[in-house]
Amino acid sequence: MEKHKCGWCLGDDLYEAYHDKEWGVPVRDDDTLFEFLILETFQAGLSWITVLKKRENFRKALDDFDYRKIAVYNQKKIDSLLQNEGIIRNKLKVKATITNAQAFINIQKEFGSFSKYIWDFVDGKPIKNAIKNYKEAPANTPLSDAISKDLKKRGFKFVGSTVIYAHMQATGMVNDHEVNCFRYNEV
């Protein structure tokens, strides 16, 4: 018997695998939170599937999403990234990745971990919505507005409310699986 899945992922094996295994699963480790933050940054203005298809290229190009290494990238590294056809070659987003790595480290110093900082916005537990059809899910909320504003104040770039809400969905801070999706009660 076929399991019901959220409508947004249907028809693409990579999308469905991402939906089935990762999307909406609460993430509490800083390395993965940073990876998703960077991928969401590059996704701004594009479709998620575009980024998902380039994810492994990003992983190789960005030193396995190691924010400690990314924080000290120099102009030579920036130039090589802008020549890398396997990733999204947007100069502002590449520079934002470096800025965001630096700001990420600053948050770790202040709060002990980025995870503690970001999860405190939801009191440490996922918000469980009751979405019947994925098209009903909001693109942003007052909470994503507040997180976005705070991240920008701390120096982050490309972290608008829509990007942050997508990050919250991806990392399980909010459960926006459709209520009849097999993953809804699993995450």
Side-chain angles (χ1 to χ4, degrees):
M1 186 171 131
E2 184 98 5
K3 294 178 178 179
H4 180 81
K5 299 179 185 189
C6 296
W8 61 264
C9 73
L10 300 177
D12 184 286
D13 291 342
L14 183 62
Y15 236 8
E16 289 190 38
Y18 169 71
H19 167 274
D20 294 356
K21 295 179 179 116
E22 291 185 84
W23 193 71
V25 175
V27 173
R28 306 225 182 229
D29 71 280
D30 279 7
D31 292 339
T32 307
L33 286 167
F34 182 75
E35 175 181 346
F36 276 111
L37 187 64
I38 294 311
L39 292 174
E40 295 293 351
T41 297
F42 275 97
Q43 186 262 330
L46 304 169
S47 69
W48 181 243
I49 192 66
T50 299
V51 173
L52 206 53
K53 288 179 178 176
K54 295 178 178 284
R55 187 180 193 179
E56 292 312 309
N57 295 336
F58 275 112
R59 186 178 312 286
K60 288 178 195 154
L62 297 173
D63 292 297
D64 205 27
F65 299 105
D66 185 335
Y67 51 87
R68 297 167 228 42
K69 290 180 180 177
I70 294 169
V72 295
Y73 279 179
N74 59 23
Q75 189 60 50
K76 183 178 176 184
K77 180 64 175 184
I78 292 169
D79 292 342
S80 75
L81 290 169
L82 294 173
Q83 297 300 314
N84 187 333
E85 294 180 6
I87 66 169
I88 296 160
R89 298 176 293 170
N90 178 302
K91 187 184 226 176
L92 294 175
K93 291 178 181 180
V94 168
K95 288 188 174 192
T97 299
I98 299 164
T99 300
N100 290 354
Q102 294 163 352
F104 190 89
I105 291 168
N106 289 337
I107 283 179
Q108 286 179 317
K109 288 176 185 170
E110 183 177 346
F111 292 89
S113 72
F114 185 83
S115 180
K116 178 173 178 4
Y117 162 79
I118 200 80
W119 278 94
D120 277 354
F121 283 99
V122 292
D123 295 324
K125 54 187 186 299
I127 297 166
K128 193 163 188 168
N129 289 328
I131 306 291
K132 290 187 173 106
N133 181 304
Y134 74 95
K135 293 177 182 174
E136 297 170 4
N140 53 52
T141 63
L143 179 57
S144 67
D145 293 346
I147 296 170
S148 170
K149 185 177 180 180
D150 195 68
L151 287 169
K152 287 176 183 176
K153 184 179 81 179
R154 294 171 183 281
F156 283 80
K157 307 286 184 207
F158 281 92
V159 289
S161 188
T162 301
V163 167
I164 294 307
Y165 193 73
H167 187 261
M168 292 170 69
Q169 290 173 310
T171 61
M173 290 176 66
V174 61
N175 181 350
D176 274 349
H177 281 281
E178 295 172 357
V179 291
N180 61 349
C181 174
F182 82 98
R183 291 294 281 159
Y184 181 71
N185 288 314
E186 289 183 1
V187 297

